[in-house]
């Protein structure tokens, strides 16, 4: 099993990234909450990975830290939650916020995540509450480092809208969420993070 990847980030097209390790390129699926912490192309990255083998495919999933990977592994043990949905959940909400929602039985927040209906939210709370008792909830993650200065704000908006639509939000919802952001941002990743945060509060 591949447990960790260390290399150079050469491509980043949510939800997939390509990491070069001594000339070998690894295609890795990662949640948006990991992708917006990776920095720009050419950056050195370390990802904690989970390898999934199916009859029709082999997929490598990558996460910014072991706790996020642990949460992913816990999610895919829930009835009806496969790797794709687990990745979508971790893309739509920060790990700590998700765990807090499980602890509080806050299904209203969970159903705002694309792909999560009321029944799935209730099942997540029931099946995961005991499994996440020992999870330490930290404060919110800091903003990512400044993005490439060559990018324009219009490009950031287009990238952020595309990522939100890929996560399951409607184009109008994505545009509205981005337009509602009033604080300074340093790249598309900031726009995505703040948009997700804003939509979960609605």
């Amino acid at each position: 099993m591949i447990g960790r990847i260390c290399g150079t980030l050469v491509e980043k097209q949510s939800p997939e990234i390509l990491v070069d390790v001594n000339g070998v390129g690894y295609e890795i699926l990662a949640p948006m909450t990991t992708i917006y912490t990776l920095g720009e192309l050419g950056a050195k990255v370390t990802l904690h990975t989970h390898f999934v083998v199916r009859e029709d495919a082999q997929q490598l999933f990558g996460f910014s830290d072991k706790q996020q990977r642990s949460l992913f592994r816990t999610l895919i043990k829930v009835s009806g939650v496969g790797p794709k949905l687990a990745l979508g959940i971790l893309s739509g909400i920060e790990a700590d916020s998700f765990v807090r929602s499980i602890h509080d039985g806050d299904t209203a927040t969970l159903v705002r995540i694309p792909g999560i209906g009321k029944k799935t939210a209730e099942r997540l709370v029931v099946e995961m509450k005991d499994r996440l008792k020992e999870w330490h909830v930290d404060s919110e993650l800091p903003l990512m480092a400044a993005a490439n200065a060559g990018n324009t704000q219009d490009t950031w908006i287009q990238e952020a809208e595309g990522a939100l639509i890929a996560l399951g939000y409607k184009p109008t919802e994505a545009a509205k969420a981005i337009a509602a952001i009033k604080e300074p941002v340093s790249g598309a990743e900031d726009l995505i993070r703040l948009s997700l945060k804003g939509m979960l509060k609605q």
Side-chain angles (χ1 to χ4, degrees), residues 41-80:
L41 300 184
K44 297 295 182 181
V45 298
T46 296
L47 294 166
H48 299 276
T49 56
H50 178 82
F51 191 43
V52 174
V53 178
R54 304 197 315 249
E55 290 184 2
D56 58 342
Q58 297 183 22
Q59 295 177 311
L60 189 62
F61 295 84
F63 307 92
S64 57
D65 55 54
K66 289 183 178 180
Q67 275 197 322
Q68 194 176 57
R69 182 180 63 181
S70 176
L71 181 55
F72 175 84
R73 288 173 171 174
T74 303
L75 277 166
I76 60 178
K77 292 178 182 177
V78 175
S79 175

Side-chain angles (χ1 to χ4, degrees), residues 41 66 96 111 123 136 155-156 164-166 168 176 183:
L41 300 184
K66 289 183 178 180
D96 282 346
V111 297
R123 187 163 62 248
H136 176 66
T155 300
W156 294 345
L164 292 172
I165 292 170
K176 183 178 178 181
E183 59 191 275

Side-chain angles (χ1 to χ4, degrees), residues 20-37:
D20 182 277
V21 182
N22 297 324
V24 178
Y26 289 85
E27 294 179 343
I28 302 172
L29 294 167
M32 286 305 305
T33 45
T34 285
I35 290 176
Y36 65 58
T37 67

